[in-house]
Amino acid sequence: MFALSLAAYTTAQMDLALFGYAVPAIRAEFGLSLSGVMGIVSAAFVLGGLLIVVLGVLTDRLGRRLMLQLSLVVSSLLVALHAIAPNPAVLTVLRGSSIGVGGLTYPITGALITEEFPARVRGLFLGILQVGYPLGWALASVWAAWILEDYHWRWLFLFGLVSLPLALLVRRVVREPQRFAEARAAGAVPARVRDLLAPGIRSRAVLLFCSQFLFVWAYAASIFLFPSYLREVRGFEAFDFSVLIGAGNAIGVLGYLLAAFVGEFLLTRRTTVVLWTLTGACCFQGLVWVAEGFTELLIAYALMSMFFYGSAAVKFAYLAEVFPTRLRATAMATCGSLAVTLGSAAGPLMVARGIETIGWAQGYALLVGVPLVGAGLLYLLLTPVPSGLEVEDIDRLLSGRKA
């Protein structure tokens, strides 16, 4: 089940990454400014965020297995349809719909691992699952390096269909977690988004939402704008920037694995998030201000990916553990995925506008770096949870605490 969850998560990230690589070509075809194409990204993420909250609630009501199959099939088709989008408006609708349906893999796979795996290694496997982020971008870079240099950008999105066979495997392999089945059989109250504002849960939910929003503001702005940065500031062609980003994310996998290990066996996940995020912020500044040439840029990008992006490995595990089973997918969809999509909507657009006003270096460094530091510091307000506890024990530990 874990391998299948990782494959589903990786292909979902690959689908997301395809658009990032295609941004320069999309801008050229439709005659869009940098902020204009980021406007498409922004609107699409808002649409996707609203959709994913609805789908997350349905996952807590209808089951993880059914909704994962739906996510894989429908998102694959929506990504492939990008190839025939006639104008920016249609492209925005397709993009938003695919983000919402494909992004459902985030709360579903998190819920599956949290509810099925032994407590002593649960956090480790949740962290390893986040390797799907860099693997998805690395996989997309393979297609981008091949397609964008010699073919039209539209062909790139046909690779979204590669995740279709996974739906058949989910049907055969994945089962409903026993914890979820027992909660539903016991007549648990159907999940509602407003339950996240109940006493004892509200502060935790708000802090996690705000931290995730700031983190993804920085993450999305850094990664969606980086191909344009490498083309316009560093003079890289499509093949070169695809290889650099793909290789950097592949190397960055080490940071995800190390974060998962440290968060599980050496420090609490909360402390690991703070350490990784602030270190990643320093690495990002080095990428913008210090690195020169392909090799230095690759090293700086890989280090940034290991810490900045790698912090997601422990964020994901913490978020998955600290909510009751009956609310888990709803909480991950709202405090996780909705915050992700809204941060992805706001970050690239606002950073692009800042870059157009004050230049690449200052805009990139300030409008990515400051929100990233804020995201790390907010975790200091959350309760550190010892690793190795059953989810029921975590519920009891956090019961009555503000955060």
Side-chain angles (χ1 to χ4, degrees):
M1 185 188 74
F2 176 78
L4 188 53
S5 295
L6 178 59
Y9 202 67
T10 299
T11 55
Q13 296 309 313
M14 180 199 74
D15 293 345
L16 186 68
L18 292 175
F19 193 87
Y21 287 114
V23 161
I26 291 172
R27 285 181 60 194
E29 175 168 333
F30 292 122
L32 299 169
S33 66
L34 183 62
S35 58
V37 75
M38 288 303 107
I40 291 177
V41 172
S42 178
F45 273 111
V46 170
L47 172 61
L50 296 174
L51 179 58
I52 202 169
V53 171
V54 175
L55 295 174
V57 173
L58 287 176
T59 299
D60 274 332
R61 295 188 177 196
L62 302 179
R64 285 71 163 114
R65 180 172 175 265
L66 172 63
M67 295 302 289
L68 183 55
Q69 293 176 73
L70 177 69
S71 172
L72 289 167
V73 172
V74 178
S75 65
S76 295
L77 298 176
L78 288 170
V79 171
L81 286 173
H82 284 49
I84 58 173
N87 53 55
V90 173
L91 185 62
T92 302
V93 172
L94 288 171
R95 189 67 187 156
S97 301
S98 64
I99 287 170
V101 180
L104 189 60
T105 57
Y106 178 94
I108 294 177
T109 55
L112 286 170
I113 300 302
T114 301
E115 294 162 5
E116 285 280 84
F117 274 58
R120 66 183 182 278
V121 294
R122 181 182 61 241
L124 181 64
F125 277 92
L126 282 168
I128 294 173
L129 186 64
Q130 292 302 290
V131 169
Y133 269 115
L135 288 181
W137 276 86
L139 185 58
S141 76
V142 174
W143 314 134
W146 170 32
I147 295 295
L148 292 178
E149 195 72 20
D150 299 314
Y151 301 94
H152 200 278
W153 64 265
R154 295 177 182 274
W155 290 95
L156 188 61
F157 290 97
L158 295 180
F159 287 99
L161 296 172
V162 301
S163 56
L164 272 177
L166 292 177
L168 297 176
L169 291 176
V170 168
R171 185 177 180 84
R172 293 177 62 89
V173 173
V174 174
R175 64 178 186 179
E176 288 294 346
Q178 184 177 351
R179 279 189 172 94
F180 173 73
E182 289 175 350
R184 188 160 57 173
V189 177
R192 302 166 300 180
V193 174
R194 67 174 179 265
D195 293 342
L196 297 174
L197 299 179
I201 295 178
R202 179 173 54 246
S203 295
R204 189 185 326 152
V206 170
L207 284 170
L208 284 167
F209 179 92
C210 291
S211 176
Q212 192 77 334
F213 174 82
L214 290 173
F215 174 80
V216 178
W217 168 300
Y219 169 82
S222 70
I223 205 160
F224 278 112
L225 289 169
F226 202 57
S228 296
Y229 170 77
L230 290 176
R231 180 184 286 275
E232 296 180 18
V233 179
R234 305 289 186 158
F236 284 23
E237 296 299 326
F239 178 83
D240 293 326
F241 70 63
S242 297
V243 169
L244 188 149
I245 295 172
N249 276 289
I251 297 169
V253 167
L254 297 174
Y256 287 74
L257 298 176
L258 184 59
F261 177 84
V262 170
E264 185 69 36
F265 299 114
L266 301 180
L267 303 172
T268 65
R269 292 192 236 293
R270 188 205 67 169
T271 303
T272 306
V273 168
V274 176
L275 177 62
W276 248 247
T277 305
L278 297 183
T279 303
C282 294
C283 293
F284 179 79
Q285 297 298 336
L287 174 67
V288 175
W289 297 110
V290 179
E292 297 288 345
F294 184 91
T295 301
E296 288 187 14
L297 282 167
L298 175 58
I299 293 171
Y301 187 88
L303 287 172
M304 181 198 69
S305 178
M306 288 175 65
F307 290 98
F308 178 176
Y309 303 161
S311 66
V314 271
K315 288 175 184 287
F316 185 71
Y318 187 92
L319 176 61
E321 290 177 336
V322 297
F323 291 98
T325 295
R326 73 174 188 88
L327 278 176
R328 183 161 290 114
T330 300
M332 295 188 72
T334 304
C335 303
S337 298
L338 178 60
V340 166
T341 54
L342 293 181
S344 298
L349 178 60
M350 299 308 296
V351 174
R353 289 180 175 174
I355 288 167
E356 291 174 340
T357 302
I358 62 177
W360 267 104
Q362 291 84 356
Y364 218 20
L366 178 65
L367 297 176
V368 171
V370 173
L372 182 58
V373 171
L377 294 179
L378 278 178
Y379 260 76
L380 291 174
L381 302 176
L382 290 160
T383 301
V385 176
S387 301
L389 297 180
E390 297 291 350
V391 291
E392 294 82 6
D393 295 329
I394 294 173
D395 282 345
R396 284 190 286 271
L397 173 68
L398 296 176
S399 178
R401 298 201 181 197
K402 292 183 178 180

Coordinates of all heavy atoms in Angstrom, one line a residue, residues 22 50 127 170 178 255 305 308 338:
A22 N 6.2 24.5 -18.3 CA 5.6 25.0 -19.5 C 5.3 26.5 -19.4 O 5.0 27.1 -20.5 CB 4.3 24.3 -19.8
L50 N -10.9 25.4 -3.2 CA -12.3 25.3 -2.7 C -12.8 23.9 -3.1 O -13.6 23.3 -2.3 CB -13.2 26.3 -3.5 CG -12.9 27.8 -3.1 CD1 -13.7 28.7 -4.0 CD2 -13.1 28.1 -1.6
G127 N 6.9 10.9 6.3 CA 7.9 11.7 5.8 C 8.5 11.2 4.5 O 8.7 12.0 3.5
V170 N -5.2 0.6 -7.1 CA -5.8 1.0 -5.9 C -7.1 0.1 -5.6 O -7.3 -0.3 -4.5 CB -6.3 2.5 -6.0 CG1 -7.2 2.8 -4.8 CG2 -5.0 3.4 -5.9
Q178 N -8.8 0.1 9.2 CA -9.7 -0.4 10.3 C -10.1 0.7 11.2 O -11.3 0.8 11.6 CB -8.9 -1.5 11.1 CG -9.8 -2.1 12.1 CD -9.1 -3.2 12.9 OE1 -8.0 -3.6 12.5 NE2 -9.7 -3.7 13.9
G255 N 17.2 15.3 1.7 CA 16.8 16.2 2.8 C 15.4 15.7 3.3 O 15.2 15.8 4.6
S305 N 16.6 22.7 -1.8 CA 15.5 21.7 -1.9 C 15.6 20.7 -0.7 O 14.5 20.3 -0.1 CB 15.7 20.9 -3.2 OG 14.7 19.9 -3.3
F308 N 14.5 23.6 2.6 CA 13.3 24.3 2.4 C 12.2 23.4 2.0 O 11.2 23.2 2.7 CB 13.6 25.3 1.3 CG 12.5 26.2 0.8 CD1 12.7 27.2 -0.1 CD2 11.2 26.1 1.3 CE1 11.7 28.0 -0.6 CE2 10.1 26.9 0.8 CZ 10.4 27.9 -0.1
L338 N -6.1 23.2 1.4 CA -6.7 24.6 1.1 C -5.6 25.6 1.3 O -5.4 26.6 0.5 CB -7.9 24.8 2.0 CG -8.5 26.2 1.8 CD1 -9.0 26.4 0.4 CD2 -9.7 26.4 2.8

